Amino acid sequence: MKNSVTAIIFSGRENPEWEIDNSLLEFILQKIESFPVINSSTEKLPTLGYSGFIINCDDNSINYFIFRSNIRATNNNAVLWKVDKDCQIENLLINSAPVEFKDIFKA
Amino acid sequence: MALKITIDIFSGRKNPTIELSEKESADILRQLKPTGRINEKKIVPPTSSTLGYRGLVIEQINDVDKALPKQFRYIHGDLFGENLAHKASNQDFEAAVCDPAGLISKIEVESDFSKMALSEIKRFKEIRQKLDPRVEELIKIRDKIYLPSKLCCCWFLRCRCICAPIYEPSWWNDDDDIRWNNNCYNYASNYRTNTFAQPGLASGNRWNDLSHCAVAAGNISAKMGAINDSLIDSPDANNICPTNGHLVALVIWPGQDYHWYRKGRNNYWSHKPGGTAVTNLDNAGGTISDPRTADRGPYTEFCTFMVVKHGHIKLR
């Protein structure tokens, strides 16, 4: 798969995964670039149910984990946290998810 | 009649076995002659579920001395078998077998086997002597509730899930491949497939309906899928561990997903939400004494308890 998004939501079933449009991905990455850096995560992850998105870039260089206002960029073993105080990226990913997955986020 | 004596000590390797002629057997049977029944209050039954020395298994070949069953076990001077829980005439028969000049010299074993075996016999005796003083009371409770046979029990009959897997989250969490490719079902069953196992897939009857715990006729629920994988449905388990195997619980996110918990040796539950880390906390951050009352997020429907018998299930 090329550039992809995985919604971390299920425990038993496989999580929904879909390809992300290149232009959308570029927009997202530029946005992430503009956000301020923070030392570590500030959002508490729930144990069960929806707990974020992972964006995988096709060159496997960097992947991004997004949950609410927190964004974690991982490049090999290097980790960088950023804050998106209006949860723009998360909302963007929810709204751009394929129709068959949108109901899951409503649930 | 001839005898075969097996030193029941190993787990992976074959146990050493000594075969005796009819002439030799006659003397041995005199040494093993029952002299009196063991006081019921002092019975410490044998177990087949401990590592290391577990006793001598004696088998009568061809003709049988009717004073003893065809097969029985000798441990530290005690005899156990069908209708047999007696003291043996020779209280130190194990030395007669395992001493370097004893019966063990009839077969080929490692040069240090005698020393090892005698040390093991001593270690096992110390364990039997240190048996929990509550055991007597627990044996009475056990006999009323659970086990069909007085000779079938575990050493430490405490109110804990002694047959449950231990809580070792780092094993599941620290390796990215293990963590990401094994889900709640893998973890609850304690069965790593690296395939994100699905109930029923191994048996060719994968779930296809997650609307509820019970589904329309003709469809396969997550519960049915698990039963197909040889998990045992135990709706009346009431959060009590089985005597064999360990307890798991199935909950449903109606229309969306299923999730599993497993009960650990310390009586608490833990779980692995999908490809994320194993945890012993619920959605509210609290420990889980009962999945029925835990904060389960969107998995609102408690479906059932099930039992996983080690070695019986197959997942994929």
Side-chain angles (χ1 to χ4, degrees):
Chain A
M1 193 178 272
K2 295 181 178 178
N3 302 313
S4 64
V5 175
T6 302
I8 304 170
I9 191 163
F10 293 138
S11 173
R13 292 168 62 181
E14 293 88 351
N15 284 312
E17 187 179 350
W18 60 91
E19 276 190 42
I20 184 170
D21 182 76
N22 282 343
S23 57
L24 177 59
L25 177 61
E26 203 174 315
F27 177 76
I28 286 174
L29 295 182
Q30 281 176 359
K31 273 278 178 191
I32 290 175
E33 186 71 20
S34 70
F35 293 141
V37 173
I38 54 176
N39 288 332
S40 61
S41 65
T42 55
E43 300 276 6
K44 189 175 179 317
L45 281 176
T47 308
L48 288 172
Y50 167 71
S51 51
F53 290 96
I54 292 178
I55 299 176
N56 282 305
C57 298
D58 66 356
D59 59 3
N60 285 323
S61 57
I62 307 179
N63 72 56
Y64 298 88
F65 168 70
I66 296 103
F67 180 67
R68 295 198 188 131
S69 67
N70 283 179
I71 297 173
R72 184 188 72 212
T74 307
N75 186 354
N76 291 322
N77 290 324
V79 173
L80 184 72
W81 286 96
K82 291 208 165 190
V83 64
D84 167 13
K85 65 180 178 60
D86 297 321
C87 305
Q88 296 177 60
I89 305 300
E90 185 180 70
N91 288 332
L92 206 50
L93 290 171
I94 290 172
N95 291 330
S96 63
V99 163
E100 62 266 32
F101 297 139
K102 279 207 163 77
D103 284 344
I104 296 171
F105 297 111
K106 282 181 196 164
Chain B
M1 75 296 296
L3 286 182
K4 187 163 82 172
I5 300 176
T6 301
I7 304 172
D8 189 12
I9 190 167
F10 293 135
S11 169
R13 293 168 58 177
K14 220 166 155 216
N15 284 316
T17 299
I18 306 162
E19 294 189 5
L20 302 173
S21 65
E22 287 195 17
K23 190 176 168 194
E24 290 164 322
S25 301
D27 175 57
I28 300 302
L29 284 170
R30 270 192 295 275
Q31 296 186 48
L32 296 175
K33 186 178 167 187
T35 58
R37 198 160 173 85
I38 301 171
N39 185 325
E40 271 203 19
K41 291 187 180 173
K42 293 182 182 169
I43 283 183
V44 179
T47 176
S48 55
S49 60
T50 188
L51 288 176
Y53 179 73
R54 293 173 291 273
L56 302 174
V57 178
I58 297 113
E59 189 181 345
Q60 301 191 64
I61 312 292
N62 302 327
D63 297 329
V64 171
D65 180 334
K66 297 248 174 15
L68 289 159
K70 186 163 167 51
Q71 183 174 297
F72 56 96
R73 190 175 288 259
Y74 178 103
I75 310 174
H76 309 136
D78 295 340
L79 298 165
F80 293 102
E82 191 179 348
N83 297 318
L84 183 70
H86 290 66
K87 289 287 182 190
S89 184
N90 182 349
Q91 287 287 291
D92 203 18
F93 181 64
E94 276 145 340
V97 172
C98 296
D99 269 350
L103 293 175
I104 198 74
S105 61
K106 290 175 153 299
I107 61 172
E108 202 173 309
V109 288
E110 294 90 346
S111 58
D112 64 344
F113 180 86
S114 277
K115 186 178 170 191
M116 182 273 291
L118 291 168
S119 170
E120 266 294 299
I121 291 166
K122 185 176 170 215
R123 181 192 66 83
F124 190 44
K125 191 169 188 177
E126 285 164 5
I127 287 175
R128 287 181 84 215
Q129 284 168 347
K130 279 183 198 165
L131 196 63
D132 191 310
R134 292 184 301 147
V135 149
E136 192 181 309
E137 201 50 43
L138 290 169
I139 286 173
K140 287 179 193 165
I141 295 169
R142 174 213 70 198
D143 284 351
K144 280 181 195 164
I145 296 173
Y146 283 123
L147 296 167
S149 163
K150 285 189 192 303
L151 289 180
C152 174
C153 76
C154 297
W155 280 118
F156 302 106
L157 289 174
R158 304 172 189 276
C159 296
R160 292 191 171 197
C161 303
I162 53 175
C163 296
I166 56 171
Y167 180 60
E168 44 173 1
S170 57
W171 191 87
W172 292 88
N173 296 344
D174 291 357
D175 181 298
D176 283 349
D177 281 338
I178 293 177
R179 190 182 67 251
W180 195 240
N181 295 313
N182 290 280
N183 63 2
C184 55
Y185 189 44
N186 286 110
Y187 177 73
S189 305
N190 205 32
Y191 191 130
R192 175 167 73 98
T193 62
N194 289 350
T195 62
F196 220 76
Q198 298 298 311
L201 186 58
S203 63
N205 293 292
R206 187 192 195 266
W207 64 265
N208 58 22
D209 186 343
L210 294 177
S211 53
H212 291 288
C213 178
V215 299
N219 290 354
I220 305 175
S221 64
K223 180 173 93 169
M224 291 161 73
I227 291 170
N228 291 333
D229 289 342
S230 297
L231 278 74
I232 302 167
D233 190 24
S234 303
D236 299 327
N238 198 24
N239 201 21
I240 295 173
C241 287
T243 49
N244 295 303
H246 71 270
L247 196 66
V248 297
L250 170 62
V251 299
I252 302 291
W253 176 351
Q256 296 296 346
D257 194 24
Y258 58 86
H259 181 57
W260 295 86
Y261 296 83
R262 82 181 195 198
K263 191 163 186 176
R265 214 169 279 186
N266 63 357
N267 254 347
Y268 283 90
W269 294 75
S270 59
H271 55 146
K272 187 179 187 300
T276 66
V278 164
T279 178
N280 59 353
L281 303 177
D282 70 5
N283 257 36
T287 53
I288 306 166
S289 58
D290 190 334
R292 293 174 293 186
T293 54
D295 185 336
R296 304 192 300 266
Y299 296 81
T300 51
E301 192 175 323
F302 181 85
C303 183
T304 189
F305 290 107
M306 299 188 93
V307 169
V308 174
K309 275 194 169 176
H310 318 123
H312 287 209
I313 63 168
K314 188 167 171 68
L315 267 56
R316 190 153 68 93

